[in-house]
Amino acid sequence: MQFPIDLSKFDTKLALDPSKPKLTAEQKKALAANIQLFRDAIVLFTATGAARGVSGHTGGAYDTAPEVCILLALFNHSSKFYPVIFDEAGHRVATQYLLAALEGSIPAAHLLHYREANSKLPGHPELGLTPGVKFSSGRLGHM
């Protein structure tokens, strides 16, 4: 099954310069499109997990989509940043999995198996288990 949202539309080249406090109209448009696509993807694959009875944790990842998209654009501007987005307790695990798909570490269609047994997409990410996951949050938020 194909992932029904075209993740190739996410602008991975968007770069924001933190020394420039105002965004251009083009940057605003690209950022808004990235945020919407990020949120749509999160709702889609976490809701399918919830519908299968394996829960979803949609809220945290959905709520932080603007910050994540801004951070990604800042990372693209400068190599002075270490490009990892941390989550203290795993409640935004969908963010890590979506980033793994956007980076090409996992196929987007694999997101549709979110939290399934043996899918390597557990409710809390584990470093070394899922390609593209940058840190473990553990079942109790332990890093």
Side-chain angles (χ1 to χ4, degrees):
M1 176 187 281
Q2 246 185 303
F3 195 73
I5 296 172
D6 184 1
L7 296 184
S8 72
K9 292 182 179 178
F10 190 88
D11 185 353
T12 58
K13 299 202 183 320
L14 176 62
L16 300 178
D17 181 349
S19 70
K20 296 182 181 174
K22 294 212 181 229
L23 301 180
T24 66
E26 185 178 302
Q27 287 173 320
K28 284 181 187 177
K29 183 178 176 183
L31 183 60
N34 277 359
I35 292 166
Q36 190 61 56
L37 186 138
F38 205 88
R39 283 182 160 168
D40 289 348
I42 285 169
V43 168
L44 179 100
F45 78 85
T46 59
T48 60
R52 289 189 321 275
V54 293
S55 191
H57 277 318
T58 304
Y62 183 90
D63 290 344
T64 59
E67 292 89 341
V68 169
C69 291
I70 289 168
L71 284 171
L72 292 174
L74 290 171
F75 295 162
N76 285 339
H77 171 74
S78 173
S79 62
K80 292 181 182 180
F81 299 108
Y82 187 73
V84 173
I85 297 171
F86 288 97
D87 174 14
E88 84 291 347
H91 293 123
R92 284 158 295 282
V93 63
T95 298
Q96 277 207 70
Y97 295 151
L98 181 52
L99 290 173
L102 288 169
E103 294 169 355
S105 297
I106 61 172
H110 192 62
L111 296 172
L112 298 173
H113 300 284
Y114 177 59
R115 299 188 78 164
E116 278 181 14
N118 304 312
S119 69
K120 296 189 178 181
L121 298 175
H124 292 268
E126 298 294 334
L127 185 64
L129 176 68
T130 307
V133 165
K134 306 284 195 278
F135 67 94
S136 296
S137 71
R139 285 178 239 137
L140 298 174
H142 302 163
M143 296 190 35

